[in-house]
Amino acid sequence: METYKKVWANCLQVIKENVNKDAYDTWFAPIIPSRLIDNVLTIEVPTSFFYEYLEEHFIDLLRKTLRKELGNTAKLEYSVKVVSGAPTLTYPAQNRPDLRNRPILPYPGTQDEPKIMNPFAIPGLKKLEIDPQLNPNYNFANFVEGECNSLARSAGLTIVANPGKTAFNPMFIYGDSGLGKTHLAQAIGIEIKEEHPDKIVIYVDARKFESQYIDAAINKNKVNDFLYFYQMMDVLIIDDVHEFAGKTKTQNTFFHIFNHLHQMGKQLILTSDKPPVELQGMEQRLLSRFKCGLFTELKTPDLATRISILRKKIYNDGIVISDEVIEYLASNITNNIRELEGALVSLLAQSTLIKKEITIELAAEMLDKLVNIAKKDISIDEIKKTVCEYFEMTIDKLLSMSRKREIVLVRQIAMYLSKNYTKYSSAQIGDQIGNKDHTTVLHACKTVQNLIDTDKSFKKTMQDIEKKLLGY
């Protein structure tokens, strides 16, 4: 028996004694050992999701078991075949970019031990080792572009080419929770590190920044050190800057950091749930700084973008899900990318644990537990009736082959509402509204969503129709 097979067989004996039968059969029995090189055991797992689940729930057990067999230098590596014919993914990934910042001297021209506080590391090193706090998964390759984010993404790539030297400084990204602000901000930071390895990049959310400031001001009396630390950055990314609202001293400190970096041609990237003009409890001098660069909104993704996001996630996880299920998820979770991806993870977990194929029925059962889709009981006939009454149009006209602009728009509105308020697929909606195909329905949804995003009068019209439809 080859050494790697014997090592894994011994590991399984220990694992079997420490987990229940269902967990063992689900998560360990499908694993196949493939090689043992330089004390690194590689095991093949079915999907990336499988790998992520093992890392989250069983990594301590795996680590201890493997070290028992091979000693303290033992390491584990996962191999995943994404799809047939595609290259194998290996975790830990071998080609991930090196995001580490270069060590820097606390004071130029000295070799003394640092006298300033590094909020992200244990002091005492001769040089400050500053962790950029960037998540390698939040890169541009995993960021799905759509009309909802194309401007912000393009601006981010412009910054990457020449950080701190473009008109996009600061870059202020705003939008509702779960639309990808953190992902985009970190993607810009990651790309800058790849293109400009010598740049000192750091990401910090506003709450952590505030807690560090309080720690410096109250517990250690080192506000000047705190200021100096952040003023050494080449790229500063502050997430959820709206959290500074009402916190005068934190705002004052950040103002000085902002001013220094901006004047020195360093890049600032800020995210917020609101545009600068709507931020309450913020000093005007700080708001004026926010407005001096580019502020760009991440909007709610349309159906096509939501489908693309799911397909990207599914491909990365190395699984196969039907277009019908993908469209069902994207149609029922409309406002939040985070919820959309979370629903997919829950669906994968359910399918894996109960050993069931991923179907529309399983997806519906899962969504009933995760999100409120009670409003999806409305029928297409009700939607057609409500829309026609609002626009004083007959249903026959709505369903006709007429290409008159006003009739086409009303037909598109009916399709859009049907997509948002029923459980039917695009093809089924098209059959019931003018005998159109599914691509016509997708185009209608995109057209109506664009009008909602750009025309306040049309948005008010849609809100009025929805109120009539929902009965309030």
Side-chain angles (χ1 to χ4, degrees):
M1 195 181 227
E2 295 94 330
T3 303
Y4 65 88
K5 290 184 179 179
K6 186 174 181 181
V7 167
W8 182 242
N10 292 341
C11 288
L12 286 180
Q13 289 300 319
V14 177
I15 290 169
K16 193 177 288 188
E17 295 171 1
N18 287 273
V19 299
N20 63 46
K21 186 177 185 303
D22 286 343
Y24 179 84
D25 290 343
T26 301
W27 299 108
F28 295 98
I31 295 173
I32 301 171
S34 61
R35 62 180 178 269
L36 177 62
I37 301 174
D38 295 332
N39 229 27
V40 178
L41 177 68
T42 302
I43 56 176
E44 293 180 3
V45 295
T47 67
S48 294
F49 172 73
F50 204 100
Y51 144 73
E52 290 170 1
Y53 194 92
L54 288 172
E55 283 283 291
E56 184 174 349
H57 295 90
F58 298 112
I59 187 58
D60 286 339
L61 176 60
L62 283 165
R63 187 184 292 116
K64 290 175 183 177
T65 305
L66 191 60
R67 286 179 178 175
K68 181 176 180 292
E69 284 297 306
L70 297 175
N72 289 335
T73 61
K75 291 183 180 179
L76 185 66
E77 187 176 78
Y78 305 85
S79 176
V80 183
K81 195 78 169 179
V82 180
V83 291
S84 179
T88 300
L89 297 179
T90 302
Y91 300 95
Q94 300 301 304
N95 297 316
R96 281 190 173 181
D98 184 359
L99 300 177
R100 292 173 297 178
N101 287 314
R102 59 179 172 80
I104 56 176
L105 291 170
Y107 301 105
T110 74
Q111 292 294 328
D112 299 333
E113 289 191 1
K115 297 181 176 64
I116 68 167
M117 173 186 63
N118 177 353
F120 294 95
I122 300 171
L125 301 174
K126 290 211 169 182
K127 292 183 179 180
L128 296 176
E129 302 279 354
I130 301 171
D131 185 343
Q133 311 289 314
L134 295 168
N135 182 342
N137 294 319
Y138 284 171
N139 54 41
F140 275 112
N142 290 333
F143 187 83
V144 176
E145 183 178 6
E147 290 188 19
C148 55
N149 58 35
S150 59
L151 173 61
R153 182 182 180 278
S154 297
L157 290 173
T158 301
I159 286 170
V160 167
N162 206 1
K165 310 301 181 185
T166 72
F168 305 153
N169 193 20
M171 182 178 183
F172 191 102
I173 308 166
Y174 69 94
D176 291 337
S177 177
L179 295 183
K181 300 186 297 295
T182 298
H183 188 152
L184 178 58
Q186 290 212 23
I188 297 169
I190 289 170
E191 197 76 7
I192 289 173
K193 284 300 301 177
E194 291 195 57
E195 296 293 324
H196 312 275
D198 285 343
K199 295 288 186 187
I200 307 299
V201 178
I202 202 160
Y203 162 90
V204 58
D205 68 73
R207 288 189 179 183
K208 177 177 278 190
F209 180 93
E210 185 194 9
S211 69
Q212 291 172 348
Y213 164 70
I214 292 171
D215 188 44
I218 298 176
N219 299 331
K220 298 179 182 178
N221 195 27
K222 290 187 176 181
V223 173
N224 287 338
D225 289 351
F226 180 78
L227 278 165
Y228 189 82
F229 174 84
Y230 277 104
Q231 287 172 349
M232 289 189 294
M233 302 302 111
D234 294 311
V235 180
L236 175 59
I237 304 168
I238 301 284
D239 206 0
D240 293 331
V241 74
H242 55 269
E243 295 284 354
F244 289 160
K247 296 156 185 174
T248 306
K249 291 183 178 179
T250 303
Q251 287 183 45
N252 183 60
T253 301
F254 181 61
F255 174 80
H256 291 300
I257 293 169
F258 184 107
N259 258 5
H260 176 85
L261 293 177
H262 196 264
Q263 289 169 7
M264 296 298 291
K266 310 299 185 181
Q267 182 67 48
L268 292 117
I269 301 169
L270 314 171
T271 78
S272 170
D273 63 359
K274 295 181 178 66
V277 70
E278 293 180 17
L279 289 176
Q280 303 294 320
M282 301 288 278
E283 292 185 18
Q284 283 303 313
R285 62 176 183 164
L286 200 51
L287 289 176
S288 69
R289 299 303 191 280
F290 293 168
K291 297 174 187 176
C292 70
L294 170 75
F295 50 100
T296 180
E297 181 181 10
L298 295 191
K299 299 177 181 177
T300 303
D302 59 18
L303 179 63
T305 304
R306 296 197 299 274
I307 289 173
S308 295
I309 289 168
L310 286 176
R311 283 183 174 149
K312 181 74 175 179
K313 177 77 174 164
I314 287 164
Y315 176 83
N316 287 343
D317 285 340
I319 57 173
V320 177
I321 295 181
S322 70
D323 288 344
E324 188 180 24
V325 173
I326 293 171
E327 187 178 306
Y328 179 80
L329 290 175
S331 299
N332 281 281
I333 303 176
T334 60
N335 295 321
N336 191 305
I337 295 171
R338 193 177 297 135
E339 289 180 4
L340 187 65
E341 292 182 337
L344 179 61
V345 170
S346 296
L347 184 58
L348 294 178
Q350 276 207 336
S351 172
T352 303
L353 291 170
I354 64 179
K355 296 183 175 63
K356 277 189 178 180
E357 182 185 354
I358 296 175
T359 61
I360 282 283
E361 291 72 28
L362 185 63
E365 182 182 326
M366 183 272 300
L367 280 187
D368 281 336
K369 298 172 184 175
L370 286 183
V371 296
N372 178 16
I373 56 173
K375 64 180 183 180
K376 299 283 182 178
D377 294 333
I378 297 170
S379 69
I380 293 179
D381 285 339
E382 287 178 89
I383 290 170
K384 290 188 289 191
K385 182 173 180 292
T386 302
V387 170
C388 286
E389 285 178 354
Y390 185 90
F391 289 103
E392 297 180 350
M393 178 184 294
T394 66
I395 291 180
D396 286 342
K397 272 191 179 180
L398 175 75
L399 302 180
S400 71
M401 300 298 290
S402 173
R403 300 297 300 163
K404 286 185 179 179
R405 187 175 179 181
E406 62 272 17
I407 295 176
V408 170
L409 181 58
V410 174
R411 193 182 296 137
Q412 289 175 329
I413 289 171
M415 290 176 175
Y416 174 86
L417 292 172
S418 297
K419 197 66 184 166
N420 281 309
Y421 288 97
T422 76
K423 296 181 180 180
Y424 292 103
S425 67
S426 296
Q428 291 170 320
I429 292 169
D431 285 342
Q432 296 191 50
I433 303 179
N435 197 26
K436 306 294 183 182
D437 64 24
H438 76 284
T439 58
T440 303
V441 177
L442 293 176
H443 175 72
C445 293
K446 184 176 180 180
T447 299
V448 173
Q449 187 62 58
N450 285 343
L451 286 170
I452 291 171
D453 291 339
T454 58
D455 187 330
K456 289 184 178 179
S457 175
F458 184 83
K459 183 177 182 179
K460 176 67 167 57
T461 296
M462 290 300 296
Q463 289 172 342
D464 290 342
I465 295 172
E466 286 177 312
K467 285 179 182 178
K468 287 176 66 69
L469 185 63
L470 299 172
Y472 59 84

